[in-house]
Amino acid sequence: MRHLIDPSNLTRDEVDTLIEQAEDIKNNPGKYADVCKGKILATLFYEPSTRTRLSFESAMLGLGGTVLGFSNADASSASKGESVADTIRMISCYADICAIRHPKEGSALVASRYSQIPVINAGDGGHQHPTQTLTDLMTIHAVKGRLTGLTAGFCGDLMFGRTVHSLVRSLAGYEGNKFIMVSPKELKVPNYIRDESGCQIIAESENLEEYIGQMDILYMTRVQRERFFNEEEYVRLKDSYILDKEKLINSKNDLIVMHPLPRVNEISVEVDSDPRALYFEQARYGRYIRMALLMMLLNAAA
Ligand code: NCD
């Protein structure tokens, strides 16, 4: 039985296979309509979500399976004090696979240790978010045709942004990728991510305009309010970066602007119509890659 807790749980070959499979699903959805017939996905969401939970559910439904779960901790026995370990023991009796999102770092790993079914980490606190990374890799591959030799700029909350941590970890495993980290000094990418990923950071700055011209990818992120210890600090930092048309003037024509969404203020809506804005398309890919992932973990074939 396999789990997906961290991007490193998948080999590079497996990621390539998932992307290939997801592209085939996108082009031939009918072929996959029954491959998970009779299978049940449980979505255990202890934290808010729109895209991740709904794309997981839509993915399972698109494969002919069914879904159950909860979308907030108050609606589950967590509100009565039940531990993740006990909850997952129960869920293992009711479903064939589960996706879990939880505010505490490491909770998906804990769940996987007590589970009888594959566990997918759908975000554990400010730690990792491997299925967003698969979505991001599929998007980059679809547009750039490769995952190597790219200069990726990450901008915003690099400290608490779990999507950043997982994507940096994955992209660092491909040859020739370089990283430009743009954040306020309070929200720099954590040392453990730099050290473990071995990512090649060519610049680290508080100034987006200075480096935007070197980037092939600009990955914007929301300042993660829910991870702050004090609201004043959040208010002070929340609008550190607002990408608008003017800031894009010096960027490459084939830059892609990505964002895991939800966006708050960090990308002005005037950017949405720019051909470089890819974030809504990116969200669409999330469903296909999750279909491919569910198939892989359930050993389903078309
Ligand atoms: C992200 C998350 O939950 O980490 N959203 C998502 O899954 N697409 C990013 C965020 O909430 O800022």
Side-chain angles (χ1 to χ4, degrees):
M1 187 176 60
R2 299 274 306 269
H3 305 288
L4 177 59
I5 307 301
D6 185 280
S8 63
N9 298 146
L10 294 169
T11 66
R12 198 171 143 166
D13 281 352
E14 284 174 328
V15 171
D16 290 346
T17 307
L18 283 172
I19 292 175
E20 222 172 276
Q21 176 91 76
E23 267 156 14
D24 193 57
I25 295 171
K26 177 169 172 266
N27 298 330
N28 308 290
K31 207 165 114 188
Y32 296 87
D34 285 326
V35 295
C36 286
K37 204 170 175 185
K39 298 288 183 194
I40 300 173
L41 164 73
T43 51
L44 316 180
F45 277 62
Y46 297 84
E47 247 194 4
S49 169
T50 301
R51 273 149 295 272
T52 305
R53 185 173 64 83
L54 296 182
S55 66
F56 260 116
E57 298 193 354
S58 168
M60 190 47 140
L61 296 173
L63 297 170
T66 50
V67 296
L68 50 79
F70 51 84
S71 56
N72 91 54
D74 294 340
S76 79
S77 283
S79 63
K80 301 181 188 169
E82 186 169 59
S83 67
V84 166
D86 283 1
T87 302
I88 198 74
R89 282 191 173 106
M90 299 305 107
I91 302 298
S92 296
C93 310
Y94 310 145
D96 301 287
I97 188 163
C98 81
I100 178 169
R101 168 171 289 188
H102 196 283
K104 284 218 175 86
E105 292 77 11
S107 46
L109 180 65
V110 170
S112 71
R113 295 203 168 132
Y114 292 88
S115 180
Q116 305 294 317
I117 58 174
V119 173
I120 303 170
N121 181 6
D124 62 326
H127 188 218
Q128 297 286 332
H129 193 347
T131 65
Q132 180 63 45
T133 292
L134 290 173
T135 303
D136 300 340
L137 294 175
M138 181 182 180
T139 308
I140 296 168
H141 186 266
V143 180
K144 295 284 181 193
R146 67 184 198 282
L147 295 172
T148 55
L150 296 162
T151 299
F154 287 83
C155 177
D157 185 348
L158 311 188
M159 160 96 107
F160 296 118
R162 56 194 175 195
T163 63
V164 173
H165 304 165
S166 291
L167 184 55
V168 167
R169 216 173 240 191
S170 283
L171 280 177
Y174 292 84
E175 309 79 59
N177 288 333
K178 298 191 179 91
F179 297 84
I180 298 175
M181 302 300 191
V182 180
S183 72
K185 59 184 179 317
E186 295 84 348
L187 298 177
K188 283 178 157 189
V189 76
N191 286 333
Y192 80 92
I193 296 292
R194 299 165 196 255
D195 298 345
E196 285 172 17
S197 68
C199 62
Q200 194 195 342
I201 299 178
I202 57 168
E204 192 156 17
S205 172
E206 295 193 38
N207 185 340
L208 177 60
E209 284 98 314
E210 198 181 334
Y211 290 99
I212 198 166
Q214 297 182 36
M215 299 174 185
D216 300 307
I217 299 164
L218 170 55
Y219 197 93
M220 294 296 296
T221 61
R222 171 180 74 89
V223 175
Q224 307 278 297
R225 180 181 200 162
E226 62 276 38
R227 313 273 175 243
F228 277 68
F229 300 111
N230 93 53
E231 180 73 7
E232 271 164 39
E233 182 82 338
Y234 166 73
V235 170
R236 191 170 65 77
L237 295 172
K238 71 183 171 71
D239 292 328
S240 300
Y241 302 98
I242 300 178
L243 183 69
D244 55 19
K245 280 194 164 160
E246 205 185 314
K247 295 204 181 80
L248 278 170
I249 285 175
N250 292 324
S251 70
K252 294 183 181 175
N253 283 334
D254 63 350
L255 170 77
I256 55 176
V257 179
M258 300 177 69
H259 192 307
L261 302 177
R263 141 181 75 182
V264 185
N265 276 335
E266 57 281 357
I267 303 181
S268 156
V269 290
E270 68 182 24
V271 176
D272 296 357
S273 56
D274 190 292
R276 287 166 288 198
L278 219 75
Y279 28 94
F280 294 118
E281 185 68 2
Q282 182 185 352
R284 226 162 61 81
Y285 287 119
R287 177 170 186 263
Y288 304 118
I289 200 81
R290 289 185 174 98
M291 288 171 90
L293 178 68
L294 290 172
M295 284 179 63
M296 176 195 243
L297 297 178
L298 288 168
N299 295 313

